[in-house]
Amino acid sequence: MRIVTVTLAAIALTLSTLSPASARISSQTYEVQVKTQTNKFRVSTDRAKVSPSSCLDRWAESWARKLARERRLVHRDAAGMRKVMRDCNLNVLTENLAEGYSSGTRTVIAWQNSPGHRANLLNQAVRLHASGAVYSGDKWWVVQLMGRKA
């Protein structure tokens, strides 16, 4: 029997002050900032860096598009998390969501200050990472997935 760990941040973060659209960065830059800031934080707390996962990236990108399209933050349910875990052959999976932050760096700093998101960022079991960032309706919609292979 395999033990499966699914961790969700209970609180989705929002920010009311947004940067002007003219100052918007690219999705790719935003996602690189999320990964860079996540690893900087993990290393500063004696955690292993996370590496990119193309499988998790597909799931993060598609969920970010869904959030932006529906204009609401909602975590995957347990069945949805298990589907990602099966597809990516994981035994640990965490998910962080955010909307409205003007950069990936600001998003991760906000997660650091939220107990549930912080726990996900510092989860010692995770080794893989992906994020999806979609700009829609004058704000960013962000999904971060981290996991560990089974």
Side-chain angles (χ1 to χ4, degrees), residues 11-131:
I11 302 169
L13 299 176
T14 62
L15 179 68
S16 59
T17 54
L18 304 173
S19 63
S22 61
R24 182 167 47 101
I25 59 176
S26 71
S27 291
Q28 182 179 12
T29 297
Y30 199 110
E31 293 165 11
V32 167
Q33 289 175 348
V34 169
K35 181 179 171 237
T36 300
Q37 188 67 29
T38 294
N39 276 331
K40 193 182 291 187
F41 182 54
R42 287 179 62 84
V43 167
S44 76
T45 58
D46 297 321
R47 302 319 194 264
K49 286 185 177 183
V50 289
S51 300
S53 164
S54 59
C55 184
L56 285 177
D57 190 59
R58 286 190 306 274
W59 288 98
E61 295 284 346
S62 67
W63 199 255
R65 285 190 303 272
K66 174 184 169 43
L67 298 179
R69 184 176 58 252
E70 295 178 2
R71 303 205 41 80
R72 67 187 185 105
L73 284 180
V74 59
H75 284 282
R76 287 177 179 83
D77 60 17
M81 293 292 276
R82 285 191 300 272
K83 187 174 181 180
V84 175
M85 292 174 77
R86 273 192 310 274
D87 186 54
C88 298
N89 190 32
L90 304 173
N91 63 8
V92 176
L93 179 64
T94 69
E95 177 179 71
N96 284 335
L97 307 178
E99 70 172 286
Y101 292 91
S102 60
S103 72
T105 301
R106 288 181 178 178
T107 298
V108 175
I109 290 169
W111 285 336
Q112 290 172 20
N113 294 308
S114 164
H117 296 97
R118 181 183 182 90
N120 286 347
L121 290 171
L122 296 179
N123 186 317
Q124 293 194 42
V126 298
R127 295 293 183 269
L128 301 172
H129 174 273
S131 60

